[in-house]
Amino acid sequence: MRIFCATLFIVAMMAPASAYTDEQVSACTPDVMRLCSDAIPDVGRITKCMIQKKKQVGTACMLVFKLSPSSSRVAAK
């Protein structure tokens, strides 16, 4: 549950004006665990890690990034 909450916060930080479904949050949870587990539960570190490793993010999570209204902000980093 703690990991799910951390992932939820990450997605919420990427696009604060958007509401994400459980499916969208679940899409990024495996990538957070695989790429950034050492940063959990620090949401800031997780977010930074995910942005730095966005080329390694799986297809499902990348779609969440692309669907977010702030995707241009994420893509620019």
Side-chain angles (χ1 to χ4, degrees):
M1 184 65 174
R2 184 173 164 185
I3 296 166
F4 177 79
C5 290
T7 306
L8 178 62
F9 286 129
I10 294 165
V11 175
M13 286 180 66
M14 287 190 290
S18 297
Y20 285 88
T21 65
D22 289 343
E23 291 81 15
Q24 289 171 314
V25 172
S26 294
C28 289
T29 299
D31 291 318
V32 170
M33 293 300 299
R34 179 173 55 87
L35 300 170
C36 305
S37 62
D38 61 324
I40 295 170
D42 186 326
V43 176
R45 285 182 56 216
I46 295 169
T47 303
K48 183 177 179 181
C49 175
M50 289 294 283
I51 291 169
Q52 289 174 341
K53 296 182 179 184
K54 69 180 179 182
K55 290 183 180 184
Q56 299 174 49
V57 170
T59 305
C61 187
M62 185 54 69
L63 288 174
V64 174
F65 275 85
K66 289 181 179 183
L67 293 174
S68 76
S70 64
S71 61
S72 60
R73 184 184 80 206
V74 173
K77 294 189 179 199

